[in-house]
Amino acid sequence: MAKRIDVSDLDIYYGNFKAVEGVNLSIEPRSITALIGPSGCGKSTFLRSLNRMHEVIPGARVEGKVVIEGQDLYGSDVDPVDVRRQIGMVFQRPNPFPTMSIYDNVAAGLRLNAKKTSKSDMDDLVERSLKGANLWTEVKDRLSRPGSGLSGGQQQRLCIARAIAVQPEVLLMDEPCSALDPISTLAVEDLMMELKEQFTIVIVTHNMQQAARVSETTGFFNLNGVGQPGRLIEYNPTEKIFSNPDEKATEDYISGRFG
Amino acid sequence: MSTSIEQSSAAPDTSAPSPNPLGGHEKQAPWVPWAMFGAAAVVALGFLLLTGWNVVLFVIYTVVLGTLGTYVLSRVTEGSRKAVDRLVTCLVVSAFGIAMVPLVSLVYEVVRRGAERFDGEFFTASLQGVIGPGGGAYHALMGTLIITLLTTLISVPIGLMTAIYLVEYGSGRLKRSITFLVDVMTGIPSIVAGLFAYALFVLIFGPGVRLGIMGAVALSVLMIPVVVRSAEEVLKLVPNELREAAYALGVPKWRTILKVVIPTAIAGLATGVTLAIARVIGETAPLLITVGITNALNFNAFDGRMATLPVYAYYQLTQPGVPPENAIDRAWTAALVLIMLVMGLNVVARLISRLFAPKTSR
Ligand SMILES: Nc1ncnc2c1ncn2[C@@H]1O[C@H](COP(=O)(O)OP(=O)(O)OP(=O)(O)O)[C@@H](O)[C@H]1O
Ligand SMILES: [Mg+2]
């Protein structure tokens, strides 16, 4: 099920502002790819262009090619809704649906798409997804309470559960652990290791150890200055990036000698 | 006048200003401003007993003297920053009081004069065959309810969908021109809305036509822009992140709007609709031209004249017959019922927003 992603000469714009320029990379199936880089260099922007969430923003557009398993993501006959069903996403800020209970939030992917599922199947799915996101023990007694009543970290794990409940083929995670304590972070990392058996995972993180721990491949984004587009500086196996990077900028960033 | 202020401000000023450790001044006890206004009232009373009694002047003197006294006392004992704070508080409260005068006196007068005929007969009888005392406004109450219901049925779908278009889909020139037209519609005088509906139906049915549905159309012209405006504001408040969360699950846009955006905004939407109903339920001018008046009960909005409360009140007041008292009493009671309807709708709006609001805030 996992799919390979090939990106070539990708430029990403917000209106007239070029946020990311000239990205070329290919993401292996059944692997974790980490994206690192300073704030504002376009990691989130790039990630959002991989499941066509970028174009939701008015005036935002993309030039170049993203090919998933031989299919051009931005081809004229491709429906963005179908793309997003296959490529799930966890956002930088937790965004559970405030009108829905915890249970309904996890079930939302199926419910909102009007997929007929029996009650027991749905119960199983919700439990499995919440366990996967390491949230089950905390919420199993209050599944019918509103999802927005959870703490920030719990909300983020709820969003992870919601994303994996629809069993996407690719999972994009934008700093999923930035609001989590070390225990939940480890749980999410374990989850990622588990998920990569079936899915392709791309994760944005500011946590170098996390990138080093979980990912096979790491991409380093940087930008030359304010108002300049971000670029992919180096894209290499994680081991190489963290021990012997090709680029001086990468080494500076990783060792903290940045800026 | 100035002497009286100094006298009254001297009274509670027995404790000399003693700086506290932070270098500020002693805090005034909460009763001091009240005492100041009490003193001002006494001074005003004494002054007016000398020059001749007048309620309005008494209130004005008390407020002015009390405000000045509070300011001066606070300036002496608490310092200038606190004094300005107290002065502004007094001014704001006075402004609020002035704003309340028309409302309170209106409600008082309507309740006092409307209570006369606020009885069972008023709510169960029409005016058919009534000359002199008795009779009621059952037919007008029903007419108002039916026409308002029809207006709501017409306006809410149109207004809501327009708002959804403006917030979720619209862009560029079309969106801007719709927004502009809605703004223009908000300002249309109600008589023009009535003339529009009349002209429209005359085109179809010929001159002299009077139908309940005409009134509903005229009121819709007034209600739609109100619904659009309020719904637009509420929909804009729904965070974009929720829409993105739904999109990222592969939910199409229309389902996202239906299942995520509208449920999140439902409290505000319902409140807006209720207030929009309250806004049009008391309209008189358009109903005068389009629906007319009748003394008999008519439940059919598609056949002939209907009575409505505002028009009923208007005719009872302007053409009371002889003796006029009976009709005038009925007019006041109709006004009272109308005010109660509007207040009821406002209460409903509050209940709705409390009931539907997301259970926990973020
Ligand atoms: N909605 C938007 N409209 C216009 N410009 C945007 C928008 N979102 C982001 N940008 C710009 O695009 C650039 C890249 O932003 P992006 O959010 O991708 O950074 P990031 O690498 O994810 O940063 P962080 O690590 O802080 O999350 C920034 O210069 C930002 O100002
Ligand atoms: Mg980001």
Side-chain angles (χ1 to χ4, degrees):
Chain A
M1 286 248 294
K3 297 202 167 170
R4 173 191 179 84
I5 307 173
D6 292 293
V7 178
S8 43
D9 296 324
L10 192 68
D11 297 338
I12 312 176
Y13 295 85
Y14 288 104
N16 291 324
F17 172 61
K18 198 185 215 178
V20 177
E21 183 179 59
V23 177
N24 285 290
L25 54 74
S26 46
I27 294 166
E28 292 299 318
R30 291 191 191 78
S31 74
I32 300 178
T33 303
L35 303 177
I36 59 173
S39 184
C41 67
K43 305 178 297 295
S44 300
T45 304
F46 173 71
L47 199 69
R48 288 166 59 94
S49 70
L50 294 183
N51 70 341
R52 295 193 65 166
M53 282 300 291
H54 179 66
E55 65 201 49
V56 168
I57 295 166
R61 66 203 160 82
V62 163
E63 279 170 18
K65 253 188 164 176
V66 180
V67 177
I68 295 204
E69 214 56 57
Q71 190 193 23
D72 183 3
L73 207 60
Y74 285 91
S76 54
D77 56 338
V78 175
D79 181 0
V81 171
D82 285 337
V83 170
R84 293 177 202 138
R85 278 186 193 160
Q86 298 168 33
I87 308 180
M89 182 157 207
V90 175
F91 293 83
Q92 195 163 350
R93 271 192 290 172
N95 51 3
F97 298 120
T99 50
M100 297 185 195
S101 67
I102 294 172
Y103 185 101
D104 290 342
N105 260 289
V106 181
L110 297 185
R111 289 251 174 95
L112 291 181
N113 281 318
K115 289 233 176 71
K116 286 268 171 293
T117 319
S118 73
K119 176 89 176 74
S120 60
D121 282 357
M122 191 63 100
D123 287 349
D124 280 354
L125 178 75
V126 168
E127 180 171 346
R128 226 175 330 122
S129 307
L130 283 171
K131 275 183 176 155
N134 194 34
L135 190 60
W136 176 249
T137 45
E138 282 158 78
V139 300
K140 65 171 187 283
D141 301 322
R142 46 171 171 157
L143 288 175
S144 56
R145 300 274 294 282
S148 49
L150 298 172
S151 79
Q154 289 171 330
Q155 287 185 17
Q156 185 64 303
R157 280 177 283 154
L158 181 62
C159 294
I160 294 174
R162 181 176 68 188
I164 59 179
V166 293
Q167 300 182 313
E169 286 151 39
V170 179
L171 190 58
L172 309 174
M173 302 175 112
D174 195 349
E175 295 180 41
C177 301
S178 59
L180 299 189
D181 64 299
I183 298 170
S184 303
T185 302
L186 278 183
V188 172
E189 286 177 11
D190 287 346
L191 169 70
M192 284 191 266
M193 302 302 267
E194 229 169 85
L195 292 176
K196 81 168 178 180
E197 309 286 317
Q198 311 166 45
F199 308 136
T200 308
I201 296 179
V202 184
I203 171 178
V204 171
T205 180
H206 281 294
N207 181 335
M208 305 289 172
Q209 287 91 349
Q210 182 170 56
R213 272 196 303 267
V214 298
S215 69
E216 275 90 28
T217 320
T218 298
F220 171 59
F221 280 81
N222 202 354
L223 72 179
N224 293 332
V226 179
Q228 307 256 12
R231 302 167 151 280
L232 180 64
I233 303 294
E234 183 169 353
Y235 186 68
N236 264 326
T238 302
E239 242 164 72
K240 181 164 168 56
I241 289 255
F242 282 93
S243 57
N244 175 26
D246 286 339
E247 300 287 333
K248 175 100 172 48
T250 313
E251 193 178 349
D252 287 352
Y253 182 74
I254 286 165
S255 56
R257 267 178 282 141
F258 179 74
Chain B
M1 273 211 349
S2 63
T3 51
S4 63
I5 294 168
E6 274 158 29
Q7 273 165 8
S8 49
S9 68
D13 198 19
T14 45
S15 62
S18 60
N20 68 19
L22 283 176
H25 294 271
E26 204 72 62
K27 196 176 177 309
Q28 233 171 41
W31 53 264
V32 172
W34 297 106
M36 182 59 72
F37 275 88
V42 172
V43 172
L45 188 69
F47 187 70
L48 282 172
L49 286 181
L50 292 181
T51 58
W53 176 247
N54 183 324
V55 182
V56 179
L57 277 183
F58 171 70
V59 173
I60 293 176
Y61 284 173
T62 307
V63 169
V64 170
L65 286 180
T67 303
L68 284 176
T70 309
Y71 175 70
V72 170
L73 173 67
S74 169
R75 186 157 186 121
V76 172
T77 61
E78 292 184 309
S80 68
R81 188 174 57 78
K82 256 308 203 185
V84 171
D85 183 29
R86 287 195 188 278
L87 178 67
V88 173
T89 307
C90 287
L91 290 181
V92 169
V93 172
S94 309
F96 173 70
I98 292 171
M100 288 300 286
V101 168
L103 177 64
V104 170
S105 61
L106 181 146
V107 170
Y108 172 78
E109 192 67 9
V110 172
V111 169
R112 188 175 67 84
R113 305 188 63 162
E116 192 76 32
R117 280 300 320 278
F118 199 79
D119 50 31
E121 191 183 358
F122 190 83
F123 292 97
T124 49
S126 72
L127 268 188
Q128 203 158 25
V130 172
I131 302 166
Y138 177 58
H139 60 312
L141 182 62
M142 280 303 143
T144 286
L145 293 182
I146 290 170
I147 289 176
T148 309
L149 182 73
L150 283 174
T151 309
T152 311
L153 288 181
I154 298 172
S155 308
V156 169
I158 297 178
L160 220 63
M161 287 201 255
T162 308
I164 288 174
Y165 171 79
L166 288 178
V167 176
E168 305 287 339
Y169 292 97
S171 64
R173 188 173 296 169
L174 184 56
K175 174 177 171 171
R176 255 176 291 137
S177 40
I178 291 181
T179 310
F180 175 72
L181 290 177
V182 169
D183 282 346
V184 172
M185 268 177 87
T186 318
I188 283 185
S190 58
I191 185 75
V192 176
L195 288 171
F196 159 76
Y198 183 74
L200 182 71
F201 277 77
V202 162
L203 278 183
I204 308 169
F205 294 100
V209 63
R210 297 276 193 288
L211 297 172
I213 186 73
M214 283 169 70
V217 169
L219 292 185
S220 297
V221 174
L222 299 171
M223 185 167 164
I224 288 171
V226 182
V227 174
V228 173
R229 269 269 160 263
S230 67
E232 196 187 349
E233 292 310 315
V234 171
L235 290 176
K236 272 191 206 153
L237 285 181
V238 175
N240 243 331
E241 284 141 39
L242 297 182
R243 297 186 179 92
E244 295 196 341
Y247 296 155
L249 292 169
V251 182
K253 186 163 185 167
W254 67 272
R255 283 195 80 94
T256 303
I257 294 170
L258 213 61
K259 300 277 180 168
V260 174
V261 176
I262 290 182
T264 308
I266 190 73
L269 292 177
T271 309
V273 166
T274 319
L275 293 179
I277 296 174
R279 160 79 183 71
V280 298
I281 202 169
E283 277 298 344
T284 318
L287 295 179
L288 213 55
I289 335 176
T290 55
V291 188
I293 187 74
T294 168
N295 285 341
L297 203 53
N298 176 11
F299 286 122
N300 191 347
F302 299 90
D303 181 24
R305 296 160 181 268
M306 285 175 99
T308 48
L309 281 173
V311 179
Y312 174 91
Y314 172 78
Y315 275 112
Q316 292 294 302
L317 204 64
T318 53
Q319 300 169 14
V322 277
E325 290 78 28
N326 299 309
I328 290 175
D329 282 345
R330 287 194 292 264
W332 279 105
T333 309
L336 176 59
V337 173
L338 211 49
I339 289 183
M340 286 169 59
L341 281 177
V342 173
M343 280 191 175
L345 284 170
N346 278 282
V347 171
V348 168
R350 288 183 159 259
L351 287 181
I352 287 174
S353 64
R354 192 167 311 167
L355 222 71
F356 284 113
K359 296 299 174 287
T360 36
S361 54
R362 286 186 63 188

